[in-house]
Amino acid sequence: MTRVLHVSDTHLGNRQYGDDTRREDFADAFDAAIDLAIDEQVDAVIHTGDLFDDPQPGVPDVNRCLDTLAKLNDAGIPFYGIVGNHERKLDEQWLDLINRFDLVHHLDETSVLVNDDVALYGIDAIRAPSWKSYEFELSEPPTSADVTIVCMHHLFEELVPPQQANYGSRR
């Protein structure tokens, strides 16, 4: 049986509340997830967006990410990911750059097999104007795939209708 660890929204580089301690907390949590993947000897790690908190993360945050992913790579565990709304750039994405180091596979509409029985697909975060016209078409999964996983950073529909406060006159 193929074992996959799913992580999302690690927001590396986030200085929540303007505090550098929080930046370390986010990085430490990502490291802990990767250590868990190595300890449990999973077959793959899937990250479903917002690896970084910003489209232009700081060099220290990118370097720490590369070090963490290199540790996973040294353990022989592949890392698959998609781009989230926080880190999305207009041109080449951070996952594409990290892919040049053979540390990540940027998922798309073409399947990637894990252990010949799990087909992975990915759809990066889609900006609001493009959502309604986006063509959600995936290649056919290989016949050997028993399981198909489509990774997205959005929901097709909101789980809960949006709530709006009533600011009627107060006396």
Side-chain angles (χ1 to χ4, degrees), residues 27-45:
D28 290 345
F30 181 59
D31 289 346
I34 297 306
D35 288 343
L36 177 67
I38 293 167
D39 291 345
E40 295 294 324
Q41 300 176 344
V42 300
D43 298 299
V45 174

Side-chain angles (χ1 to χ4, degrees), residues 17-137:
Y17 313 121
D19 187 350
D20 279 331
T21 303
R22 296 298 292 143
R23 172 186 274 151
E24 289 300 312
D25 291 344
F26 282 91
D28 290 345
F30 181 59
D31 289 346
I34 297 306
D35 288 343
L36 177 67
I38 293 167
D39 291 345
E40 295 294 324
Q41 300 176 344
V42 300
D43 298 299
V45 174
I46 301 172
H47 193 290
T48 53
D50 289 346
L51 177 63
F52 296 104
D53 189 56
D54 190 280
Q56 298 180 26
V59 172
D61 302 313
V62 174
N63 282 337
R64 180 149 178 197
C65 177
L66 290 170
D67 290 343
T68 301
L69 293 177
K71 185 170 50 170
L72 186 68
N73 188 59
D74 290 346
I77 301 171
F79 186 86
Y80 300 96
I82 61 169
V83 175
N85 59 310
H86 278 246
E87 66 201 340
R88 185 172 176 78
K89 298 168 67 66
L90 294 175
D91 51 12
E92 196 169 23
Q93 305 298 323
W94 282 102
L95 286 181
D96 300 321
L97 176 67
I98 296 169
N99 185 44
R100 292 183 182 188
F101 296 95
D102 290 326
L103 298 176
V104 65
H105 182 92
H106 188 170
L107 294 171
D108 59 25
E109 291 86 359
T110 304
S111 68
V112 174
L113 277 176
V114 177
N115 288 353
D116 292 327
D117 63 346
V118 175
L120 299 179
Y121 296 88
I123 299 173
D124 289 341
I126 302 166
R127 298 192 190 286
S130 303
W131 180 259
K132 298 256 187 238
S133 63
Y134 191 85
E135 296 291 329
F136 292 96
E137 294 185 25

